[in-house]
Structures are given as structure tokens and as C-alpha cells.
Amino acid sequence: MRWNNLTVESEESRTLPGYREPATVRTFEAPEALDTRFYEVRAKSVLNRVPKASRMPFRWTINPYRGCSHACSYCQAGDTPILMADGCTKPLAEVRPGDWVYGTVHLGSHRRYSVTQVLDHWSSIKPAYRVALEDGTELVASGDHRFLTDRGWRHVADTGRCPRRAHLTQHNRLLGTGAFAEAPEDRPDYRRGYMCGMVRGDGYLGAVSVDSPGGAPHERDRFRLALTDREAVDRARRYLDEERGVLTREFAFRSPGGRSMRAVVTGARDGVAAVRDVIQWPRSPRPGWCKGFLAGIFDAEGSYGETIRISNTDPEIIDWVASSLRVLGFSFVLEDPKRANGLRCVSLLGGLQAALRFFHTVDPAITRRRHIEDSALKSPARLKVESIEPIGRAFRLYDITTGTGDFIANGVLSHNCFARPTHTYLDFNAGRDFEREIVVKVNAPEVARAELTRPSWKREHVALGTNTDPYQWVESRYRLMPGIWEAMRDSGTPCSVLTKSPLLLRDLDLMKEIHERVGFAANLSVPTLDEKAWRATEPHTPHPRKRIEAVAEINRAGIPCGVLIAPLMPGVNDDPKQVEKILELCAEAGAVNVGGIALHLRGEVKQIFMDWLRSNRPDLVPRYERLYARGAYAPKAERERIAAMARPRGRATPARPDPAPDEDPVTMPTPRRPPPEPEQTALF
């Protein structure tokens, strides 16, 4: 690997929260480092205390790196319409943190729509693909983006970055309602239609008796419109003013039923005449007028539960509702409840898919009636994948992070990336930054030495590899670990390391010196030997057999080294025959301790793993929903089963069968007597 191609881009230097000095931005021209930036910072402290609430067998840890280069990124074209919480749509590029959109949650056995907040928004430039669906829906997204299909989450394409990952094919059907309809244009015919529907549905236009001073009462024309929802009143009032110059007076009152209402009124002769003119039925209604009329009559007389309904006692209004729906291509039925007042109802057919098309096509003003929360994610929409084609050039693509982990993009369920708390704290976004903006504490060895040689330091055990792997591939360039191990050795601090990489063999001599003085132990994580399972779950890590070879070499050097078969995932890598093979190889390698831990799904990791499971092993989803229904850990019986499976047969030092939920059964160093305190050199 050629590291002489290192470049420093001072113009991109930035200050990260928690660090006094600006970070120096470096890039490496190496295959695994392309499009990755490394922020070299000078940390004020590297010795981190493990929270007391944790039951880990150590209290201190050091992490020289922050960030992970193994994550995927997900993004779509900026003009992709996103379903907002008010039932309207907004282009993805215009969505902002703090906005409310629709995502989904699992309730019982169904996935249902749920309002969620946008937590982050970002963009990147990536090669784009066009996905065409059977109903004509088109989606432009990166190959890494994921959509929910009838077979779980699927990436748009297999770009080769993540081998054998599940991706869309023409056998998949996406889940959702299908393409969103376009909103109506705010033109005069739409406005006239809206005012016609609103006034005829819920307005009063007629004569009232007015007392004249000193004279007999006389009739006077009056227009009044009163509704509970201010949104519809405001729209009607604005249209009357802008289109016909009708000035109205607004006031608040309570209906006979006690509801608080807003009303607009005018008694001006010209104003009333203008209102009478605007609500005339057209001779040949255009689609724009039909959209406006349906929006107005829905605001006045409509309702939405599982079906959109518009009711009225005037047969002429009902006929116009039916006629307008036919013009716009909606299917419906007429219902006659046989009431004395002649009430009839027009009910829209087609469920949620038709309801959303109605809302987006006609755009009613009252947003509370566009509420679809708790509706099940099911639809007869023809969303079978017809084609997935590379567009042939890169686009600026966008993505958001939401509280539910997903959102509705042009009528299909779309996955988003989770915010990583450690990176958002550093003012990085929640998307590509976590994988491509790696923070390197370049002074970690010096700071560790200063902290470990303080008189107050009690030489407690320090564990490395508890958060991020200290031997990730870039360690071969920065070489921070040798200096940290030297600080441990010279300060007499017992320590251990957990890693997935044989790169730790580079520092074997230092580890031997620490072990001879105060005690040292190493542990390598080997969750599986199965090639398919390894590539699916850890595609960018060293081969598991290389890790076991490292275990053997470390033990031959006289350093106790164990193996952690973790995480063991029920149905994925817990085949007893596979685990037994790992145990056999561990025994041959002289592993001093072997332990197995059932998968933990803490915090955001739970949703991320479940998404992976739906994409790769949808058959296991019900099992995992049962196992992890109550929290981050599998039931005790399942943990005991897995721990017993990974227990070495006939060995003297097996791992504890049931580690505490927050405890990893890692090999701890054999305690050594601490060296004597150094004496102060005499000055005279």
C-alpha cells in the first residue's frame, strides 16, 4: 500500500466540538480510502470511564478512532415527493430537520403509517439508477438506497461495494400506495370550483330581515360562511377577495351545539351578487374546476375514516360530486340511507391508495381530515418492479433521517440512515459522514502516557476495542497503538484488547512486555466460519480463519488469547455444527477462553439489524420480533442456550454460561504485582 500519496487540504480544515484546535483534513489515495476524509485532531483526554451502570468487568477504555468506514449510504433524487404529516407532499430536497412526515411502525402483526419527525437532512453526489414500477411509478435513487419489498428491504442495485447483498429484481414488488398524484394548479377555474363547493356545501346566501331606523323592516341580501376549521375559511375568504373583490368581515361565534367557529360575512349588494355569480354551475366543467369543487365540497361536507365520504341532502350537489369524480377517474358508489331529509352519500372506492390520490389531486384545505395515521401499509397498487437501469451519470441525491427510520417516497416505503450520536455531536451529519469522515486522535499515545502516569492514577484495568476497533485498517497508516501500548507498559497498567483484525500481531512484542510486567490479554471476535454469513454480516473485515491463526500465534508467544463467538444470531450463525467447528479450531489454536454471546440490539442498532434481517432473512423476522420484544437482549433461556453451545468441551476455563446483559465474557489478564512506585531523584 502506498501511503506516500497523502495530501493535506488545509482549506477544508474545520473545528470539531470538543477540540480546541482545528482538525487537519487528510485524504489517502488508496483503494479502501477513496472518498474518505480523516480529521486529525488533538484530544484533550483519551482515557474514558465506563459508566457505573454498566456491568462490564473493567472501568476504563481508550478509543483512538471515531467513525466507521463500513456503513452504507441511502439517497434519492431531490424532486422525489415525500408524504408530509399534513397529508401534502414536499420535494425531498426541500425537507428540513424539524419537519413532520409519515413513516411506519410495527403494531401487532402489521406495519402501519405513523407521523415522525425529520432529524437530519443531507445530500451527496452519486451514480443514479431509475427504478420503474408496473403502475408507472418512477424512482431515481443511488444503488445503495433501500426500498421495502414483499421480500424485505432491498438495495436498488448490487454495486459491488457490499458482496452478495440483497437488491431489487424484476421478481420484487414494492410496498406502498404507488406514485403520488400531482397537486392542482392554483388557477381561476380551480378557485371558482372551490368557492362553488364551499359556499353551496356550508354557506348561507339569501335574504335576511333588517330593521330600519324609524321604518318598517325590509329584506337585505347577505352572505355568510362559518366553519370550525379556520384553514377552509381563510382559503375561501382569500379566493373571494382575489378573484371577485368581495371584502368580508370575520368574526368568531359559538354554534348552537357549543362548537367554536370562525365566520366571514358580507351584506354589500355587489359582494353578494359576486358570490351568486361565482357559484353558478358551469356548462362544461374542466378538470381544474372539478378539482376545486371536490376540494370545497369535501371541506364543507366531507369526512375520512377508512373511506372518503361526501354527504348532502341536495340531489343536484350529489350529482355534481359524482360527475366530477368521473371526470377525474375515481371509482365510487352512491349510498342512500333512506332518511326523511333525503340525505345521500358518495363513497370513494379504492381504500388508502384512492384516498391519497384524492387528497393530492384536489388538495382540500383542512389538513386534519387528511390524517392517515394507524392505517395499515397494504395496497392493491401494481408495484411490481419492471426495470432497474443505471442512468449513466451522477446526480446530487438527498436523504433524511426520521424517528421511525423510514419515510414515504413517491408512494413507496423508503429506508433512511440512522443518526450516529457520536458523529452528530461533532457537527457531522447522520448520513455518509459516519462512514467517510473518520476522526483520528493523532496525539492519543502522548495523552494516554500523560494520563496513565498521573499520581492519582490507580492502575486499573484498561480495555481497548470496546467501542470501535483500534485495529481497523487505517491503523496500519497512523500506528497509534504502539505508543498506547508503550504508555501502558511504562505506567504499569494492566490492559486487554478485543479486535477482529490480525493486525494486532504487529505489536506482539509490546504486548509480551506488558504481560510480563502487569498482565495482558487479547481476544479476537470470530462469529462464524461460514463464508456466506461472514460476507453478509461483516463484508469488510479480515477472514475469520485468519483471526483464528492470530489466536494461535499470540498464545504461542505466551500471551493469553481467547475467542469471543459473538454475536451469535439465532437462525443465522448458531448452527451447532458450525459452532462446534469453531470450538475445534479454537482448541487447536490454544485459546485460553471461549465464550458465546447472544446478539444484543441496543438503541438504534435494533432497527438497523431488523432492516438487515428483512432484506437478507425475512423468514427470521417473526422469531426476532418475539425474542427482542421486551428490549435489547434475548430472553435468559435463549442466552443460556447460546452460551452453553459455545462452551468448550472438557476445557478447564470455559466462559461464564450466562454473562450479564451488558457484560462480554472476554479474557482478562492474569493480575501481576504492580511495580514499585518510582522514587523521586535526589537533587542534592
PDB file of all heavy atoms in Angstrom, residues 232-255:
ATOM      1  N   ALA A 232     -60.066  26.314   5.957  1.00  0.00           N
ATOM      2  CA  ALA A 232     -61.019  26.419   4.853  1.00  0.00           C
ATOM      3  C   ALA A 232     -61.620  27.820   4.777  1.00  0.00           C
ATOM      4  O   ALA A 232     -61.823  28.370   3.685  1.00  0.00           O
ATOM      5  CB  ALA A 232     -62.122  25.384   5.019  1.00  0.00           C
ATOM      6  N   VAL A 233     -61.922  28.426   5.922  1.00  0.00           N
ATOM      7  CA  VAL A 233     -62.474  29.791   5.937  1.00  0.00           C
ATOM      8  C   VAL A 233     -61.479  30.770   5.337  1.00  0.00           C
ATOM      9  O   VAL A 233     -61.838  31.634   4.521  1.00  0.00           O
ATOM     10  CB  VAL A 233     -62.852  30.205   7.374  1.00  0.00           C
ATOM     11  CG1 VAL A 233     -63.307  31.662   7.414  1.00  0.00           C
ATOM     12  CG2 VAL A 233     -63.949  29.302   7.918  1.00  0.00           C
ATOM     13  N   ASP A 234     -60.210  30.632   5.725  1.00  0.00           N
ATOM     14  CA  ASP A 234     -59.184  31.545   5.210  1.00  0.00           C
ATOM     15  C   ASP A 234     -59.011  31.393   3.704  1.00  0.00           C
ATOM     16  O   ASP A 234     -58.846  32.387   2.985  1.00  0.00           O
ATOM     17  CB  ASP A 234     -57.849  31.287   5.910  1.00  0.00           C
ATOM     18  CG  ASP A 234     -57.832  31.776   7.346  1.00  0.00           C
ATOM     19  OD1 ASP A 234     -58.746  32.536   7.712  1.00  0.00           O
ATOM     20  OD2 ASP A 234     -56.910  31.386   8.097  1.00  0.00           O
ATOM     21  N   ARG A 235     -59.033  30.159   3.206  1.00  0.00           N
ATOM     22  CA  ARG A 235     -58.861  29.965   1.767  1.00  0.00           C
ATOM     23  C   ARG A 235     -60.043  30.565   1.000  1.00  0.00           C
ATOM     24  O   ARG A 235     -59.844  31.277   0.005  1.00  0.00           O
ATOM     25  CB  ARG A 235     -58.712  28.488   1.412  1.00  0.00           C
ATOM     26  CG  ARG A 235     -58.493  28.285  -0.080  1.00  0.00           C
ATOM     27  CD  ARG A 235     -58.522  26.824  -0.501  1.00  0.00           C
ATOM     28  NE  ARG A 235     -57.335  26.099  -0.102  1.00  0.00           N
ATOM     29  CZ  ARG A 235     -57.055  24.858  -0.506  1.00  0.00           C
ATOM     30  NH1 ARG A 235     -57.911  24.207  -1.310  1.00  0.00           N
ATOM     31  NH2 ARG A 235     -55.965  24.249  -0.117  1.00  0.00           N
ATOM     32  N   ALA A 236     -61.259  30.292   1.446  1.00  0.00           N
ATOM     33  CA  ALA A 236     -62.443  30.823   0.752  1.00  0.00           C
ATOM     34  C   ALA A 236     -62.444  32.348   0.771  1.00  0.00           C
ATOM     35  O   ALA A 236     -62.747  32.999  -0.238  1.00  0.00           O
ATOM     36  CB  ALA A 236     -63.702  30.277   1.405  1.00  0.00           C
ATOM     37  N   ARG A 237     -62.096  32.937   1.909  1.00  0.00           N
ATOM     38  CA  ARG A 237     -62.080  34.397   2.013  1.00  0.00           C
ATOM     39  C   ARG A 237     -61.041  35.004   1.072  1.00  0.00           C
ATOM     40  O   ARG A 237     -61.299  36.014   0.407  1.00  0.00           O
ATOM     41  CB  ARG A 237     -61.779  34.797   3.458  1.00  0.00           C
ATOM     42  CG  ARG A 237     -61.939  36.286   3.726  1.00  0.00           C
ATOM     43  CD  ARG A 237     -61.558  36.613   5.149  1.00  0.00           C
ATOM     44  NE  ARG A 237     -61.919  37.982   5.482  1.00  0.00           N
ATOM     45  CZ  ARG A 237     -61.480  38.638   6.546  1.00  0.00           C
ATOM     46  NH1 ARG A 237     -60.664  38.018   7.406  1.00  0.00           N
ATOM     47  NH2 ARG A 237     -61.854  39.883   6.770  1.00  0.00           N
ATOM     48  N   ARG A 238     -59.848  34.358   0.992  1.00  0.00           N
ATOM     49  CA  ARG A 238     -58.800  34.860   0.104  1.00  0.00           C
ATOM     50  C   ARG A 238     -59.224  34.756  -1.354  1.00  0.00           C
ATOM     51  O   ARG A 238     -59.010  35.692  -2.141  1.00  0.00           O
ATOM     52  CB  ARG A 238     -57.503  34.081   0.351  1.00  0.00           C
ATOM     53  CG  ARG A 238     -56.352  34.455  -0.564  1.00  0.00           C
ATOM     54  CD  ARG A 238     -55.046  33.892  -0.055  1.00  0.00           C
ATOM     55  NE  ARG A 238     -55.076  32.450   0.052  1.00  0.00           N
ATOM     56  CZ  ARG A 238     -54.800  31.618  -0.947  1.00  0.00           C
ATOM     57  NH1 ARG A 238     -54.486  32.104  -2.148  1.00  0.00           N
ATOM     58  NH2 ARG A 238     -54.835  30.312  -0.771  1.00  0.00           N
ATOM     59  N   TYR A 239     -59.835  33.639  -1.744  1.00  0.00           N
ATOM     60  CA  TYR A 239     -60.266  33.468  -3.128  1.00  0.00           C
ATOM     61  C   TYR A 239     -61.325  34.500  -3.507  1.00  0.00           C
ATOM     62  O   TYR A 239     -61.298  35.070  -4.612  1.00  0.00           O
ATOM     63  CB  TYR A 239     -60.830  32.058  -3.335  1.00  0.00           C
ATOM     64  CG  TYR A 239     -59.769  30.968  -3.441  1.00  0.00           C
ATOM     65  CD1 TYR A 239     -60.150  29.629  -3.582  1.00  0.00           C
ATOM     66  CD2 TYR A 239     -58.409  31.257  -3.413  1.00  0.00           C
ATOM     67  CE1 TYR A 239     -59.207  28.618  -3.691  1.00  0.00           C
ATOM     68  CE2 TYR A 239     -57.461  30.258  -3.519  1.00  0.00           C
ATOM     69  CZ  TYR A 239     -57.858  28.938  -3.654  1.00  0.00           C
ATOM     70  OH  TYR A 239     -56.922  27.946  -3.768  1.00  0.00           O
ATOM     71  N   LEU A 240     -62.273  34.750  -2.588  1.00  0.00           N
ATOM     72  CA  LEU A 240     -63.327  35.724  -2.885  1.00  0.00           C
ATOM     73  C   LEU A 240     -62.740  37.116  -3.086  1.00  0.00           C
ATOM     74  O   LEU A 240     -63.160  37.870  -3.975  1.00  0.00           O
ATOM     75  CB  LEU A 240     -64.357  35.747  -1.758  1.00  0.00           C
ATOM     76  CG  LEU A 240     -65.292  34.537  -1.674  1.00  0.00           C
ATOM     77  CD1 LEU A 240     -66.102  34.595  -0.377  1.00  0.00           C
ATOM     78  CD2 LEU A 240     -66.232  34.511  -2.888  1.00  0.00           C
ATOM     79  N   ASP A 241     -61.754  37.449  -2.275  1.00  0.00           N
ATOM     80  CA  ASP A 241     -61.134  38.768  -2.374  1.00  0.00           C
ATOM     81  C   ASP A 241     -60.306  38.890  -3.650  1.00  0.00           C
ATOM     82  O   ASP A 241     -60.449  39.850  -4.421  1.00  0.00           O
ATOM     83  CB  ASP A 241     -60.261  38.995  -1.140  1.00  0.00           C
ATOM     84  CG  ASP A 241     -59.577  40.366  -1.151  1.00  0.00           C
ATOM     85  OD1 ASP A 241     -60.021  41.254  -1.901  1.00  0.00           O
ATOM     86  OD2 ASP A 241     -58.591  40.538  -0.410  1.00  0.00           O
ATOM     87  N   GLU A 242     -59.439  37.894  -3.917  1.00  0.00           N
ATOM     88  CA  GLU A 242     -58.517  37.993  -5.043  1.00  0.00           C
ATOM     89  C   GLU A 242     -59.202  37.788  -6.388  1.00  0.00           C
ATOM     90  O   GLU A 242     -58.810  38.396  -7.387  1.00  0.00           O
ATOM     91  CB  GLU A 242     -57.383  36.966  -4.868  1.00  0.00           C
ATOM     92  CG  GLU A 242     -56.491  37.250  -3.658  1.00  0.00           C
ATOM     93  CD  GLU A 242     -55.429  36.188  -3.462  1.00  0.00           C
ATOM     94  OE1 GLU A 242     -55.436  35.197  -4.234  1.00  0.00           O
ATOM     95  OE2 GLU A 242     -54.593  36.325  -2.549  1.00  0.00           O
ATOM     96  N   GLU A 243     -60.233  36.945  -6.438  1.00  0.00           N
ATOM     97  CA  GLU A 243     -60.873  36.647  -7.715  1.00  0.00           C
ATOM     98  C   GLU A 243     -62.034  37.578  -8.036  1.00  0.00           C
ATOM     99  O   GLU A 243     -62.271  37.929  -9.190  1.00  0.00           O
ATOM    100  CB  GLU A 243     -61.371  35.191  -7.713  1.00  0.00           C
ATOM    101  CG  GLU A 243     -60.270  34.148  -7.735  1.00  0.00           C
ATOM    102  CD  GLU A 243     -59.417  34.238  -8.987  1.00  0.00           C
ATOM    103  OE1 GLU A 243     -59.989  34.330 -10.101  1.00  0.00           O
ATOM    104  OE2 GLU A 243     -58.172  34.243  -8.864  1.00  0.00           O
ATOM    105  N   ARG A 244     -62.793  37.964  -7.013  1.00  0.00           N
ATOM    106  CA  ARG A 244     -64.000  38.760  -7.264  1.00  0.00           C
ATOM    107  C   ARG A 244     -64.048  40.073  -6.497  1.00  0.00           C
ATOM    108  O   ARG A 244     -65.026  40.810  -6.612  1.00  0.00           O
ATOM    109  CB  ARG A 244     -65.247  37.925  -6.916  1.00  0.00           C
ATOM    110  CG  ARG A 244     -65.445  36.712  -7.828  1.00  0.00           C
ATOM    111  CD  ARG A 244     -65.529  37.173  -9.293  1.00  0.00           C
ATOM    112  NE  ARG A 244     -65.646  36.066 -10.214  1.00  0.00           N
ATOM    113  CZ  ARG A 244     -66.750  35.763 -10.895  1.00  0.00           C
ATOM    114  NH1 ARG A 244     -67.846  36.490 -10.732  1.00  0.00           N
ATOM    115  NH2 ARG A 244     -66.761  34.753 -11.728  1.00  0.00           N
ATOM    116  N   GLY A 245     -63.030  40.353  -5.719  1.00  0.00           N
ATOM    117  CA  GLY A 245     -63.006  41.615  -4.984  1.00  0.00           C
ATOM    118  C   GLY A 245     -64.050  41.694  -3.893  1.00  0.00           C
ATOM    119  O   GLY A 245     -64.478  42.794  -3.511  1.00  0.00           O
ATOM    120  N   VAL A 246     -64.488  40.558  -3.377  1.00  0.00           N
ATOM    121  CA  VAL A 246     -65.506  40.534  -2.323  1.00  0.00           C
ATOM    122  C   VAL A 246     -64.817  40.694  -0.971  1.00  0.00           C
ATOM    123  O   VAL A 246     -64.044  39.825  -0.550  1.00  0.00           O
ATOM    124  CB  VAL A 246     -66.302  39.216  -2.357  1.00  0.00           C
ATOM    125  CG1 VAL A 246     -67.320  39.188  -1.216  1.00  0.00           C
ATOM    126  CG2 VAL A 246     -67.004  39.050  -3.701  1.00  0.00           C
ATOM    127  N   LEU A 247     -65.066  41.793  -0.298  1.00  0.00           N
ATOM    128  CA  LEU A 247     -64.498  42.051   1.016  1.00  0.00           C
ATOM    129  C   LEU A 247     -65.456  41.543   2.080  1.00  0.00           C
ATOM    130  O   LEU A 247     -66.658  41.846   2.050  1.00  0.00           O
ATOM    131  CB  LEU A 247     -64.234  43.542   1.208  1.00  0.00           C
ATOM    132  CG  LEU A 247     -63.247  44.174   0.205  1.00  0.00           C
ATOM    133  CD1 LEU A 247     -63.088  45.663   0.487  1.00  0.00           C
ATOM    134  CD2 LEU A 247     -61.893  43.470   0.288  1.00  0.00           C
ATOM    135  N   THR A 248     -64.938  40.749   2.997  1.00  0.00           N
ATOM    136  CA  THR A 248     -65.773  40.160   4.039  1.00  0.00           C
ATOM    137  C   THR A 248     -65.247  40.549   5.415  1.00  0.00           C
ATOM    138  O   THR A 248     -64.090  40.943   5.573  1.00  0.00           O
ATOM    139  CB  THR A 248     -65.778  38.631   3.935  1.00  0.00           C
ATOM    140  OG1 THR A 248     -64.430  38.148   3.986  1.00  0.00           O
ATOM    141  CG2 THR A 248     -66.424  38.169   2.639  1.00  0.00           C
ATOM    142  N   ARG A 249     -66.131  40.440   6.379  1.00  0.00           N
ATOM    143  CA  ARG A 249     -65.770  40.694   7.774  1.00  0.00           C
ATOM    144  C   ARG A 249     -65.732  39.358   8.504  1.00  0.00           C
ATOM    145  O   ARG A 249     -66.636  38.528   8.371  1.00  0.00           O
ATOM    146  CB  ARG A 249     -66.799  41.630   8.411  1.00  0.00           C
ATOM    147  CG  ARG A 249     -66.557  41.935   9.884  1.00  0.00           C
ATOM    148  CD  ARG A 249     -67.537  42.993  10.373  1.00  0.00           C
ATOM    149  NE  ARG A 249     -68.912  42.585  10.157  1.00  0.00           N
ATOM    150  CZ  ARG A 249     -69.622  41.849  11.043  1.00  0.00           C
ATOM    151  NH1 ARG A 249     -69.056  41.439  12.170  1.00  0.00           N
ATOM    152  NH2 ARG A 249     -70.892  41.546  10.785  1.00  0.00           N
ATOM    153  N   GLU A 250     -64.676  39.168   9.293  1.00  0.00           N
ATOM    154  CA  GLU A 250     -64.534  37.900  10.018  1.00  0.00           C
ATOM    155  C   GLU A 250     -64.898  38.084  11.477  1.00  0.00           C
ATOM    156  O   GLU A 250     -64.605  39.118  12.085  1.00  0.00           O
ATOM    157  CB  GLU A 250     -63.090  37.390   9.906  1.00  0.00           C
ATOM    158  CG  GLU A 250     -62.861  36.049  10.600  1.00  0.00           C
ATOM    159  CD  GLU A 250     -61.430  35.547  10.446  1.00  0.00           C
ATOM    160  OE1 GLU A 250     -60.678  36.126   9.641  1.00  0.00           O
ATOM    161  OE2 GLU A 250     -61.062  34.589  11.150  1.00  0.00           O
ATOM    162  N   PHE A 251     -65.523  37.067  12.048  1.00  0.00           N
ATOM    163  CA  PHE A 251     -65.843  37.103  13.472  1.00  0.00           C
ATOM    164  C   PHE A 251     -65.928  35.673  13.999  1.00  0.00           C
ATOM    165  O   PHE A 251     -66.060  34.711  13.234  1.00  0.00           O
ATOM    166  CB  PHE A 251     -67.143  37.857  13.734  1.00  0.00           C
ATOM    167  CG  PHE A 251     -68.355  37.225  13.094  1.00  0.00           C
ATOM    168  CD1 PHE A 251     -69.192  36.382  13.818  1.00  0.00           C
ATOM    169  CD2 PHE A 251     -68.671  37.490  11.759  1.00  0.00           C
ATOM    170  CE1 PHE A 251     -70.301  35.806  13.226  1.00  0.00           C
ATOM    171  CE2 PHE A 251     -69.782  36.919  11.168  1.00  0.00           C
ATOM    172  CZ  PHE A 251     -70.602  36.069  11.904  1.00  0.00           C
ATOM    173  N   ALA A 252     -65.849  35.567  15.329  1.00  0.00           N
ATOM    174  CA  ALA A 252     -65.929  34.263  15.991  1.00  0.00           C
ATOM    175  C   ALA A 252     -67.258  34.148  16.722  1.00  0.00           C
ATOM    176  O   ALA A 252     -67.788  35.138  17.236  1.00  0.00           O
ATOM    177  CB  ALA A 252     -64.778  34.109  16.983  1.00  0.00           C
ATOM    178  N   PHE A 253     -67.802  32.938  16.742  1.00  0.00           N
ATOM    179  CA  PHE A 253     -69.026  32.706  17.496  1.00  0.00           C
ATOM    180  C   PHE A 253     -69.118  31.227  17.846  1.00  0.00           C
ATOM    181  O   PHE A 253     -68.342  30.405  17.357  1.00  0.00           O
ATOM    182  CB  PHE A 253     -70.241  33.154  16.688  1.00  0.00           C
ATOM    183  CG  PHE A 253     -70.575  32.253  15.529  1.00  0.00           C
ATOM    184  CD1 PHE A 253     -71.588  31.312  15.626  1.00  0.00           C
ATOM    185  CD2 PHE A 253     -69.867  32.343  14.330  1.00  0.00           C
ATOM    186  CE1 PHE A 253     -71.898  30.488  14.563  1.00  0.00           C
ATOM    187  CE2 PHE A 253     -70.171  31.519  13.266  1.00  0.00           C
ATOM    188  CZ  PHE A 253     -71.193  30.588  13.376  1.00  0.00           C
ATOM    189  N   ARG A 254     -70.092  30.899  18.672  1.00  0.00           N
ATOM    190  CA  ARG A 254     -70.324  29.514  19.046  1.00  0.00           C
ATOM    191  C   ARG A 254     -71.612  29.027  18.414  1.00  0.00           C
ATOM    192  O   ARG A 254     -72.629  29.711  18.432  1.00  0.00           O
ATOM    193  CB  ARG A 254     -70.387  29.351  20.570  1.00  0.00           C
ATOM    194  CG  ARG A 254     -69.036  29.522  21.237  1.00  0.00           C
ATOM    195  CD  ARG A 254     -69.062  29.074  22.701  1.00  0.00           C
ATOM    196  NE  ARG A 254     -67.741  29.144  23.280  1.00  0.00           N
ATOM    197  CZ  ARG A 254     -66.830  28.186  23.193  1.00  0.00           C
ATOM    198  NH1 ARG A 254     -67.143  27.069  22.557  1.00  0.00           N
ATOM    199  NH2 ARG A 254     -65.653  28.318  23.735  1.00  0.00           N
ATOM    200  N   SER A 255     -71.536  27.832  17.866  1.00  0.00           N
ATOM    201  CA  SER A 255     -72.710  27.246  17.240  1.00  0.00           C
ATOM    202  C   SER A 255     -73.706  26.833  18.314  1.00  0.00           C
ATOM    203  O   SER A 255     -73.365  26.756  19.500  1.00  0.00           O
ATOM    204  CB  SER A 255     -72.295  26.027  16.414  1.00  0.00           C
ATOM    205  OG  SER A 255     -71.865  24.979  17.272  1.00  0.00           O
TER     206      SER A 255
END
